[in-house]
Amino acid sequence: MQRRHFLKNTMVTGAAVLAASSGLLVPGQVFAAWNKDAFTAKDVPGAMKGAIGSDSAETSDKIKIKAPPIAENGAVVPVTISSTLGDVKSITIISEKNGTPLIAKFNMGAGTEAYISTRIKMGKTSNIIAICESGGKFYKAQQEVKVTIGGCGG
Amino acid sequence: MAKKSIKVRAKAKNDVITVKALITHIMETGLRKDKKTGKVIPAHFIQSVDCEHNGKAAMNAEWGPAISKNPYLSFKVAGKSGDTIKLTWTDNKGNSDSLEAKAK
């Protein structure tokens, strides 16, 4: 019994040490781990709460979303988000009518500009919401993209 | 992973480096079904992309499955020609790859 206990204990500590050291080896890991709750949330308020900790954000015209008004293929929708808000800490992209609305969150380090360009999947015609975190506050902007062929569930 | 899955282009202009990256990845949502067997194809997508500029964290992206297949990513960071840009991705199966590039 004693021995069993000992083995179990060493294994647990061993694992913990391993986890800690592997964490140290990857400097990028200073940022949060993958946010499962936010990415599996089924509605926009849930996704926003998970991603930014609040379901409301002020509408701002200082955020620019560049996306096609009509996307032929929902599997590949190019989206560019830029902002003239100062000191943007993060940019979150949400597609309102996707099964899981949260698409991505980009955390910016110092010296990184408020500019992100990527390609996303959209299930159907809906609004793209971009949320920027600046000075501890959240600002959002949205744009509608019409999708003729859905990109989710092909 | 033997073959590099990342392509990076970093260009410096007016003290700003524009980084453009292409990653080869299937980005399966876990919602699609195999047409022949009717079985759901398990989710397989990139969850996190880390970018370092001269060894310092410049950007971290948390991605869901709604990022397109073979993801494209572009961002801008203050810097100059000759700086190193390092990109690392990790997917939900624990696979990862990284690439270092010099800004031109």
Side-chain angles (χ1 to χ4, degrees):
Chain A
M1 200 61 191
Q2 280 268 314
R3 185 173 161 268
R4 216 157 246 257
H5 229 91
F6 172 74
L7 273 175
K8 207 174 160 192
N9 273 334
T10 37
M11 267 165 80
V12 169
T13 20
V17 168
L18 252 178
S21 58
S22 65
L24 280 172
L25 282 172
V26 189
Q29 295 291 319
V30 287
F31 292 116
W34 199 65
N35 196 338
K36 190 170 181 248
D37 289 348
F39 279 106
T40 49
K42 298 261 187 271
D43 52 5
V44 176
M48 280 176 73
K49 263 210 177 101
I52 62 171
S54 145
D55 59 359
S56 67
E58 217 173 292
T59 305
S60 165
D61 55 3
K62 287 185 175 164
I63 303 167
K64 249 178 118 177
I65 305 175
K66 207 176 123 197
I70 297 172
E72 274 169 33
N73 184 353
V76 187
V77 184
V79 178
T80 301
I81 291 158
S82 58
S83 168
T84 50
L85 290 163
D87 190 29
V88 172
K89 289 249 159 59
S90 74
I91 296 178
T92 306
I93 309 176
I94 288 172
S95 167
E96 224 167 50
K97 294 218 177 89
N98 269 16
T100 51
L102 183 61
I103 290 171
K105 185 180 177 192
F106 299 89
N107 302 302
M108 311 304 214
T112 309
E113 282 188 23
Y115 169 92
I116 278 295
S117 179
T118 187
R119 296 193 293 225
I120 65 168
K121 290 176 197 161
M122 289 180 74
K124 53 184 152 189
T125 300
S126 100
N127 283 323
I128 292 177
I129 306 172
I131 303 166
C132 288
E133 180 185 355
S134 163
K137 271 182 151 180
F138 294 99
Y139 300 92
K140 68 170 178 181
Q142 62 181 48
Q143 194 201 316
E144 193 190 45
V145 175
K146 284 201 165 73
V147 175
T148 42
I149 307 168
C152 293
Chain B
M1 227 174 245
K3 217 178 137 206
K4 277 288 170 196
S5 62
I6 313 175
K7 272 189 205 167
V8 174
R9 256 193 171 179
K11 243 185 183 172
K13 199 185 171 190
N14 301 334
D15 293 329
V16 174
I17 304 175
T18 304
V19 183
K20 288 179 181 170
L22 264 175
I23 305 170
T24 310
H25 200 281
I26 55 166
M27 296 300 281
E28 257 325 320
T29 56
L31 302 169
R32 286 197 322 143
K33 277 183 183 158
D34 190 317
K35 280 193 181 114
K36 279 179 200 148
T37 60
K39 276 189 189 146
V40 174
I41 304 168
H44 188 196
F45 57 93
I46 295 174
Q47 288 185 322
S48 143
V49 181
D50 285 309
C51 176
E52 286 169 39
H53 167 241
N54 283 349
K56 264 202 279 178
M59 204 239 356
N60 159 264
E62 295 169 55
W63 282 358
I67 294 286
S68 300
K69 182 178 172 180
N70 298 336
Y72 164 77
L73 170 71
S74 171
F75 63 94
K76 292 175 181 175
V77 62
K80 54 186 189 311
S81 164
D83 288 1
T84 46
I85 297 286
K86 191 184 172 195
L87 227 73
T88 309
W89 62 256
T90 313
D91 69 18
N92 65 331
K93 289 188 180 171
N95 300 326
S96 71
D97 198 2
S98 74
L99 182 82
E100 231 177 78
K102 283 230 185 301
K104 275 185 187 142

